[in-house]
Amino acid sequence: MACGNMSRLLSGRLKMAVSGRLAMRMLSGCGWVRASDPAVLSRLRDEAVVRPGFLSQAEEDTLTRELEPQLRRRRYEYDHWDAFCGSTIAGLSLLSPSVMKLVHTQEPEQWLELLLEPGSLYILRGSARYDFSHEILRDEESFFGERRVPRGRRISVICRSLPEGMGSGRPEKPPSAS
């Protein structure tokens, strides 16, 4: 696929997945999501979603090749801030498996873990987005239940919705010079 074509294809698939129009079954509550208790799992069932295999290996390879030149020109981001975005965050996890842990900000005994295999899509919205902190576990802490999940180099492609009232995100026409 020509450079840029893969990004356009994935952009459309991501929009459909986040809006729920993509005909894929939600996998919360099975092998990719764990919680501190069944009530947390039930409460976040539609707000913290993992869709393994969202990208095929060929799509992941193509996207990684497209991203590499851009990533080499930038410094590594150790931290990130989710302040200027709307209620939904979607991420594509590339290259290495990892475990994302969400911890309730007011009740830290309530947590959720997402197993992110390479090529998987995760979506955080609502309470999972606003009431829980989220982090990717460091290699030495990277366990999903009893299963060790060794971490290697990882790329995460993040898509964020605009805050309410910010419009479509498309550039507007400049005002007329009348």
Side-chain angles (χ1 to χ4, degrees):
M1 221 176 247
C3 187
N5 289 343
M6 186 64 172
S7 297
R8 284 188 289 281
L9 170 72
L10 291 176
S11 175
R13 284 178 61 193
L14 279 169
K15 285 178 188 173
M16 290 185 343
V18 170
S19 70
R21 291 183 301 207
L22 190 61
M24 297 179 79
R25 59 190 177 110
M26 305 271 255
L27 294 168
S28 297
C30 68
W32 292 272
V33 180
R34 296 181 61 245
S36 55
D37 61 67
V40 172
L41 190 62
S42 176
R43 187 172 84 218
L44 298 179
R45 179 181 53 241
D46 296 327
E47 297 179 353
V49 177
V50 177
R51 293 186 173 162
F54 185 77
L55 297 179
S56 68
Q57 185 63 54
E59 289 171 326
E60 182 181 356
D61 293 345
T62 300
L63 183 57
T64 300
R65 278 192 308 276
E66 239 180 79
L67 292 171
E68 286 290 353
Q70 302 299 319
L71 294 174
R72 282 193 200 105
R73 288 182 245 168
R74 300 173 188 255
R75 70 175 183 83
Y76 180 77
E77 293 289 333
Y78 288 94
D79 297 313
H80 68 278
W81 300 269
D82 292 331
F84 189 74
C85 63
S87 62
T88 302
I89 299 172
L92 289 170
S93 194
L94 308 175
L95 300 181
S96 173
S98 58
V99 177
M100 178 181 281
K101 186 165 189 174
L102 288 77
V103 178
H104 195 282
T105 56
Q106 302 300 311
E107 301 174 51
E109 69 281 355
Q110 293 184 14
W111 54 264
L112 191 76
E113 290 178 340
L114 310 176
L115 177 60
L116 304 176
E117 296 285 356
S120 64
L121 170 72
Y122 62 91
I123 301 169
L124 302 178
R125 61 170 69 100
S127 180
R129 162 95 171 79
Y130 292 109
D131 300 332
F132 287 74
S133 64
H134 61 276
E135 68 176 319
I136 297 293
L137 299 180
R138 297 182 318 214
D139 185 53
E140 57 271 10
E141 300 172 340
S142 189
F143 286 85
F144 189 72
E146 299 297 316
R147 177 183 164 200
R148 172 91 170 95
V149 180
R151 283 267 320 272
R153 179 170 178 250
R154 178 178 167 271
I155 296 174
S156 183
V157 178
I158 305 296
C159 299
R160 294 174 169 94
S161 64
L162 287 172
E164 286 293 319
M166 290 297 295
S168 67
R170 295 186 180 103
E172 301 295 326
K173 287 184 180 178
S176 64
S178 50

